[in-house]
């Protein structure tokens, strides 16, 4: 578990209660954020298999808590966590409207969440496109985020990939109004990039 301050760039990571720290040897892998289930490490392939959620929480000026995946590998218990995801930022303006959700869908039906795997050596994350793929990611804004004339940013944490034919954004307001905007040009989202 991470034992540092929320928002800090440096902290102490301790084994969870069900891990005997004295038995740790060889490569030690940390996958963040911690989830009690849903991760499978396949040592023969040096990969993690996991499920990425299709709904992310809104957070002002950042991606939602728990949306970004990071991996650290160490033999001496000193880790540098590396981002595995890429981010897509959408900026919206308005005049007092309240946004309750923003959804992202690839125009070529690219898998954006669901089953995925991580190559530990290269940090490459790929979707298991045939089974359990989620083709729309939604940012849940709870009671709503009020739009003003100043841009409000919404960040999607996604599997790094190319949207060959662009993507579509669907914005839902608290009054039930739904707005859609499509970008039809190719968009590349790289690991650790916006």
């Amino acid at each position: 578990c991470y034992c540092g301050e929320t928002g800090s760039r440096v902290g102490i990571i301790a084994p969870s209660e069900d891990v005997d720290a004295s038995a740790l040897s060889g490569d030690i892998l940390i996958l963040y954020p911690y989830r009690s289930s849903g991760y499978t490490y396949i040592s023969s392939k040096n990969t993690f298999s996991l499920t990425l959620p299709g709904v992310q929480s809104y957070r002002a000026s950042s991606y939602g808590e728990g949306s970004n995946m990071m991996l650290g590998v160490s033999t001496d218990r000193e880790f540098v966590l590396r981002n595995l995801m890429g981010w897509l930022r959408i900026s919206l303006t308005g005049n007092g409207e309240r946004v309750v959700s923003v959804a992202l869908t690839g125009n070529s039906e690219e898998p954006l969440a669901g089953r995925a795997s991580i190559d530990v050596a290269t940090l490459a994350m790929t979707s298991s496109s045939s089974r359990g793929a989620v083709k729309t990611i939604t940012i849940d804004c709870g009671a709503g985020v009020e739009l003003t004339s100043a841009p409000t940013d919404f960040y999607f944490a996604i599997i790094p990939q190319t949207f060959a034919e662009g993507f579509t954004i669907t914005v839902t307001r608290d009054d039930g109004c739904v707005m859609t905007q499509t970008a039809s040009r190719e968009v590349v989202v790289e690991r650790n990039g916006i």
Side-chain angles (χ1 to χ4, degrees):
C1 69
Y2 174 69
C3 305
E5 297 282 328
T6 298
S8 176
R9 297 178 65 104
V10 177
I12 298 169
I13 297 175
S16 61
E17 295 174 7
D18 58 341
V19 174
D20 178 6
S22 64
L24 297 176
S25 63
D27 283 349
I28 303 168
L29 307 174
I30 292 179
L31 193 57
Y32 176 86
Y34 171 77
R35 293 190 181 110
S36 60
S37 65
Y39 296 150
T40 304
Y41 178 66
I42 305 164
S43 60
S44 63
K45 295 183 178 181
N46 203 26
T47 62
F48 271 105
S49 175
L50 65 146
T51 300
L52 298 170
V55 176
Q56 301 176 2
S57 300
Y58 172 78
R59 177 187 272 174
S61 303
S62 186
Y63 47 82
E65 184 173 339
S67 299
N68 188 49
M69 300 295 301
M70 296 189 293
L71 177 69
V73 181
S74 176
T75 56
D76 62 6
R77 297 188 190 175
E78 291 190 20
F79 295 88
V80 174
L81 293 175
R82 306 270 188 224
N83 290 314
L84 299 170
M85 311 291 283
W87 306 285
L88 186 64
R89 178 181 58 217
I90 302 299
S91 299
L92 301 175
T93 59
N95 189 25
E97 301 88 348
R98 295 191 70 76
V99 172
V100 292
S101 69
V102 182
L104 167 69
T105 306
N107 294 339
S108 296
E109 298 189 4
E110 292 88 349
L112 304 178
R115 296 299 300 161
S117 62
I118 302 164
D119 182 313
V120 173
T122 66
L123 301 180
M125 179 182 284
T126 55
S127 171
S128 303
S129 57
S130 61
R131 207 178 64 187
V134 175
K135 297 181 180 173
T136 297
I137 293 181
T138 301
I139 296 176
D140 180 354
C141 302
V145 175
E146 184 174 345
L147 299 180
T148 66
S149 59
T152 300
D153 294 330
F154 297 82
Y155 290 85
F156 291 91
I158 63 172
I159 297 169
Q161 63 186 284
T162 298
F163 292 95
E165 297 179 25
F167 55 82
T168 298
I169 297 294
T170 303
V171 177
T172 304
R173 298 188 329 204
D174 65 347
D175 62 3
C177 180
V178 176
M179 300 165 283
T180 302
Q181 182 69 45
T182 298
S184 55
R185 64 177 172 77
E186 179 181 283
V187 176
V188 177
V189 178
E190 297 179 347
R191 184 186 72 78
N192 201 33
I194 297 176

